[in-house]
Amino acid sequence: MKEPETISDEIIIVGSRYGGLADVLTPLYEKGEPIEKENIKQVLGTDVVYLQPVGNNHDPYAVGVFLSTEIRLGYVWMCQSLSLREWMMTNNKKYHTVHISRINTQYGFMIAKTDAPIRLADYARNELGIDNEWAKHIPGTMRSITEQSLSLGFALLCDELLMTKEWSDALERRFVNLNRHLPADLSSQHMQECLELYYKMKQSSISEVRESCDNMLQAYISRGSKSSITWWVNEWLPSFFREAEENDLLGLFEAANYTLERVEELLEQAPSNLFYLYKFNREQFAFRLYYSALPQEVYNRLLTLLAVREAMIEKKRRAGKYSLIFSKAVLARAVEDVSEYFWGFSSNAVLYCVYRDAYKYKGSSADFERLLKDLDYKKEMKYLCSSGTIANAFSHNPYMKYHIDKWERHGVKNRVIRLRDEFIKSIEKAMQELKNCDEN
């Protein structure tokens, strides 16, 4: 089956901020002042550049952009580089000459023109060595909320462009929404759509749409920028993991008898050695993920399994922590440490509330009373808890039925807040001391 083709006379050049002329171009980009076409030769020394397949640490299909002095100016945008490499190979070209026609100083990319339009086949990166069957039979695959919003955003924007004849607030909102969600998706899902959308916008009869072309292009190019990758790793990915936890993705996999070992065994077979990079350096993982341009389903399976792995590790960590928290030695030391803040027997109810809310204690108040009485204290306890103490405190202090984080808004006395906070500190301190003793 013949690959679909895109006929283009434009090559988009990125990465010049970090290329051989960075010292010349970066100050111009920081100013953001337009560079007229006739001044391009003056800025670069020439408007002629040479495209040559090079590959790099992140992208094996990279095409470098070089000056005649062999200085690398930047790279061909990754959405065009593979198709361009294949075109050059088919036409037996070791390099290809183009002319810089425009420099966008606001966003830091360049547009080069070919002498004649090139027929670039839509070669899908995700079909090169990617096993589309990988992890196909896992119990479920989670799509993020942002991915769903992005897919809808593309559809709505394309329809709006077809139907509308003039710029409107609704059309502007479509562009804003699309740009907002684009950085979240590092898959190949919308690569071709973005190129097609860019060409449609260039040919639009609406001047505002044509003027928005570069903004749209930058939104997609910038997905692979250092700042965007850092945001994805530090902000988006953790939010995806939280979303998976809220949807009880872990419960689904545990019901299907998946263990941490089984999940990691699958991840070790993930495309492009992505799991090993994930464990080593998450920013390098994200860059590799971006340039791997995985098919959406494979991409979603990868993120799903990573989310399940993180949830399993956290569950294991919590189990170890809780076993330490609920040890009698830790509780005895913590209670002794805060006994100086007790004002009466009802103080024991505050301890129970802390255990209930901060440490997910599942026992009843009566269970907690018996636990407190059985502890091996090293000093005399003035207000040792007796049966019914906590229930009585609850009946006289309605705030205790609320989560301890909400006590301030219910006007709880300072002595209660202080005991709550000091008890948490004492538990953490006692746990660390006990852990250090075990390790030594």
Side-chain angles (χ1 to χ4, degrees), residues 275-288:
F275 180 49
Y276 301 107
L277 269 178
Y278 175 81
K279 292 192 292 183
F280 169 66
N281 184 301
R282 292 198 181 177
E283 285 204 4
Q284 288 188 30
F285 157 77
F287 273 114
R288 177 74 62 81

Side-chain angles (χ1 to χ4, degrees), residues 357-374:
D357 297 339
Y359 299 106
K360 312 303 180 188
Y361 179 68
K362 301 301 182 184
S364 66
S365 60
D367 292 332
F368 192 71
E369 288 171 343
R370 285 190 291 272
L371 179 58
L372 290 178
K373 285 199 302 183
D374 291 341

